[in-house]
Every structure is written in C-alpha cells, then in structure tokens.
Amino acid sequence: MACDKINISTIHFFIVPLLTESSNDTIRQLVDTSALLKCRVVAFPRPKITWLRVDLITSAVSEVEEDGRIVIEMKSLAETFQRTHSTTLPNQLVVIHPHTPIIRFESALIFKSLMRADNGTYVCRAQSAHT
C-alpha cells in the first residue's frame, strides 16, 4: 500500500501598521492634574507602539518611558477578517491578502499628575513587530 506524503506550507502575511486616529488637539491642563493622549492603529500582528516627546524649546526628541506617574497602555479593540482590502498611501500601496486578520489597537499615554517638564509635543509611533 502506497503512502502519499503531503507537504503543508504556511504563509504569514503582515500588515504594516497604519495610524487611523490620534489626539491632534492642544491640551492645556493645570500642573498636578491628569491628562490622556490616545492613538489608534490597524495592523497584523500586534505592532510595537512607542510615544515620543518633542521638546518645544530645543526640538530634542526622546522616547517617553513609564515611571509610575506616566503610564502607557495598549489594548486590542477589534479583529475583523477582510475578504479583500487595499489602501493607497502616499508613495505606496498596501494590499491585504484575503482572510488576513486586521486588528485595531489603541495606545494611551496617561499622565497621572502633570509637571511643567511634561510640556511638549507628543507623537505616537507604530512599527511592525517584524522589521
């Protein structure tokens, strides 16, 4: 009796993170009060999201780190399966393979107690986990 061998290959498709929403407002809060900034991203798989701070005086850019007073949260909002999806972006075309899950993520930058030193411009940066 002959035995047939079957080879099964898996192809993994990755979706480059695409920022879909962010807090574009100027927030004016008193010292010692709380503040919240959010951004939303679609990607697959879970992207690496970092928050950057641009100093308004020196233009120096630094990565925001949690310290108990500053908290960074990230959660998955929803997962959908698209039959066919394509998005045209400046200088590139993103095409998503049929049945690739698209997952929406939200990141929040939370200041529990603002200090004058927190003054600056904050940027949400999403990167593929596979770059």
Side-chain angles (χ1 to χ4, degrees):
M1 182 172 191
C3 182
D4 294 332
K5 291 186 178 182
I6 299 173
N7 290 328
I8 299 175
S9 298
T10 302
I11 300 173
H12 296 279
F13 292 90
F14 302 101
I15 300 169
V16 176
L18 175 64
L19 186 65
T20 60
E21 292 178 43
S22 65
S23 305
N24 285 332
D25 300 329
T26 298
I27 298 175
R28 299 182 197 283
Q29 294 287 103
L30 296 173
V31 171
D32 294 328
T33 61
S34 62
L36 170 69
L37 300 174
K38 290 183 180 182
C39 74
R40 288 187 177 168
V41 175
V42 292
F44 181 79
R46 181 184 184 104
K48 177 183 179 191
I49 296 180
T50 53
W51 285 89
L52 305 173
R53 179 182 173 272
V54 181
D55 187 283
L56 297 176
I57 297 171
T58 65
S59 297
V61 178
S62 58
E63 188 170 323
V64 178
E65 294 184 18
E66 294 184 275
D67 63 5
R69 185 182 64 83
I70 297 173
V71 177
I72 299 172
E73 294 178 349
M74 184 165 160
K75 64 182 176 182
S76 173
L77 296 177
E79 182 173 321
T80 59
F81 288 83
Q82 299 288 327
R83 277 257 181 261
T84 306
H85 177 79
S86 65
T87 304
T88 304
L89 301 173
N91 301 322
Q92 74 183 81
L93 175 69
V94 176
V95 179
I96 299 168
H97 186 270
H99 308 295
T100 298
I102 300 172
I103 305 172
R104 292 186 324 134
F105 296 93
E106 179 178 87
S107 180
L109 178 60
I110 303 164
F111 296 87
K112 291 183 177 181
S113 178
L114 286 168
M115 298 173 32
R116 288 192 189 279
D118 295 325
N119 193 30
T121 298
Y122 290 84
V123 177
C124 173
R125 178 177 64 190
Q127 296 173 290
S128 172
H130 297 280
T131 57

